[in-house]
Amino acid sequence: MKNLKMTAAALLLMITAAAFGQSKVYMTKEITPESLVKIYKALGVEAKGRVAVKISTGEGGNTHYLKPTLIRQLVDEVNGTIVECNTAYGGSRQDPKKHWETIHEHGFDSIFAVDLKYDIVGEHLANYDFMINLAHFKGHAMGGFGGVMKNASIGVASTAGKCYIHSAGKTDDPKLAWGPDYLAAGKTQDNFLESMAAAAQAVHNYFGGKVVYINVMNNMSVDCDCDGHPAKPELKDMGIMASLDPVALDQACLDKVFNYQGKPGDDNKPLIQRINRQHGTYITDYAEQIGLGSKKYVLINID
């Protein structure tokens, strides 16, 4: 009887969302290989053809990235290939050779096929018909937070492409992207966030909407997986959210964090402070303005 009521409630939410033009965001509190497959299936869109599963394999030394054991069942379900691109800031993932070593260290290549390419926007993207944007939702030193839009923009760009986004289109040179010339040009944090939103839209449009978006809300440090020595997460795991609308999904995750009633040992304030410091919420405002998606959503619990 309980399962029947839950199904009816979910159906009512879906009808309501359609009636009021809201995007549907699905949620489960469980963070398991099985729940990841379950929430993907709840989206109702089958990944067909050559499927790219875009993740971050994590900087060397980082332990907060999405583990191969968590995502393997979903990747196998869609017969997908892990897609990753080089970074723009040194470390263990800017150089292709070192990046492959990090991929091996973190155990991805022993379980999956991995596709790694250096280019403005990795040219190997053309090898795929469908993308599963599988993001780890957490803080970020420059963007405030990282979700599916960051994963689609900075995450899909190569070293040069990342510099181009960070400098709001001024340069693709790593030596200049954060230098005085960038600041002298009057570029601001909001310009960077706008560039990320536009780049995410370009990837979405490239696939003709054949993209599904998933945020895993675990190990939510104020620092990104690109940090080799991230701060310890102070906020407990919240679950997994998924949508066909990247704006609605990132907004739903932001709302979940901001509206959470924290307590000692389970504190949302550090992550909120990091997001606010970088004006991180602006990305969903701008992404909605340019038509990537909607901030209006209905949350459908699939547990």
Side-chain angles (χ1 to χ4, degrees):
M1 192 64 177
K2 181 180 178 182
N3 288 336
L4 179 60
K5 289 181 179 178
M6 290 295 289
T7 301
L11 180 60
L12 179 60
L13 285 170
M14 292 174 68
I15 294 172
T16 302
F20 290 93
Q22 297 172 312
S23 296
K24 295 185 284 291
V25 176
Y26 297 87
M27 179 181 179
T28 174
K29 291 182 179 179
E30 295 183 7
I31 304 178
T32 65
E34 293 76 18
S35 64
L36 200 51
V37 173
K38 182 179 178 182
I39 203 166
Y40 153 71
K41 291 185 175 180
L43 293 169
V45 176
E46 183 182 358
K48 295 181 179 180
R50 301 164 296 178
V51 179
V53 182
K54 174 64 188 77
I55 66 163
S56 169
T57 52
E59 189 67 18
N62 187 291
T63 59
H64 297 159
Y65 59 90
L66 301 180
K67 304 300 188 295
T69 49
L70 174 64
I71 70 174
R72 178 176 186 171
Q73 199 166 319
L74 174 60
V75 178
D76 287 346
E77 175 74 25
V78 300
N79 193 27
T81 298
I82 295 296
V83 171
E84 171 71 308
C85 291
N86 294 328
T87 61
Y89 49 77
S92 69
R93 294 186 299 148
Q94 182 172 353
D95 173 78
K97 182 178 181 295
K98 290 182 179 179
H99 198 159
W100 276 113
E101 290 172 357
T102 302
I103 288 171
H104 180 71
E105 175 189 326
H106 289 176
F108 286 96
D109 60 339
S110 63
I111 297 179
F112 313 114
V114 180
D115 194 353
L116 176 66
K117 184 65 178 178
Y118 177 92
D119 202 355
I120 273 280
V121 175
E123 68 179 11
H124 281 201
L125 209 62
N127 295 342
Y128 300 96
D129 308 304
F130 195 102
M131 175 177 281
I132 295 180
N133 183 326
L134 180 55
H136 176 208
F137 188 89
K138 69 288 180 188
H140 189 270
M142 299 192 73
F145 78 97
V148 290
M149 282 192 284
K150 177 183 177 295
N151 197 37
S153 55
I154 294 293
V156 171
S158 68
T159 296
K162 287 174 172 63
C163 294
Y164 197 69
I165 295 169
H166 272 287
S167 66
K170 181 173 177 59
T171 181
D172 60 8
D173 187 339
K175 295 179 181 179
L176 301 176
W178 296 279
D181 289 343
Y182 169 74
L183 298 175
K187 301 300 182 184
T188 66
Q189 173 67 5
D190 284 358
N191 293 145
F192 163 54
L193 296 172
E194 290 172 2
S195 295
M196 277 209 296
Q201 185 179 48
V203 172
H204 183 89
N205 291 347
Y206 174 81
F207 280 99
K210 294 179 181 177
V211 191
V212 299
Y213 298 92
I214 303 173
N215 271 332
V216 181
M217 302 183 75
N218 71 341
N219 295 321
M220 289 181 284
S221 169
V222 298
D223 296 317
C224 182
D225 297 342
C226 57
D227 192 324
H229 304 282
K232 181 180 178 181
E234 298 184 54
L235 180 62
K236 289 187 177 179
D237 298 350
M238 290 185 171
I240 303 174
M241 291 192 185
S243 182
L244 302 180
D245 181 337
V247 181
L249 178 55
D250 275 354
Q251 185 64 51
C253 291
L254 286 169
D255 290 343
K256 191 75 174 173
V257 170
F258 275 77
N259 296 328
Y260 187 70
Q261 297 299 314
K263 51 186 178 292
D266 186 14
D267 191 1
N268 57 339
K269 291 186 180 65
L271 182 53
I272 291 174
Q273 290 169 356
R274 172 59 58 88
I275 294 169
N276 287 340
R277 188 190 77 182
Q278 300 302 112
H279 197 203
T281 58
Y282 176 62
I283 191 172
T284 57
D285 296 335
Y286 186 76
E288 183 180 56
Q289 289 177 31
I290 62 176
L292 177 55
S294 172
K295 290 172 59 180
K296 297 177 182 178
Y297 64 89
V298 60
L299 197 59
I300 302 170
N301 192 324
I302 65 170
D303 290 334

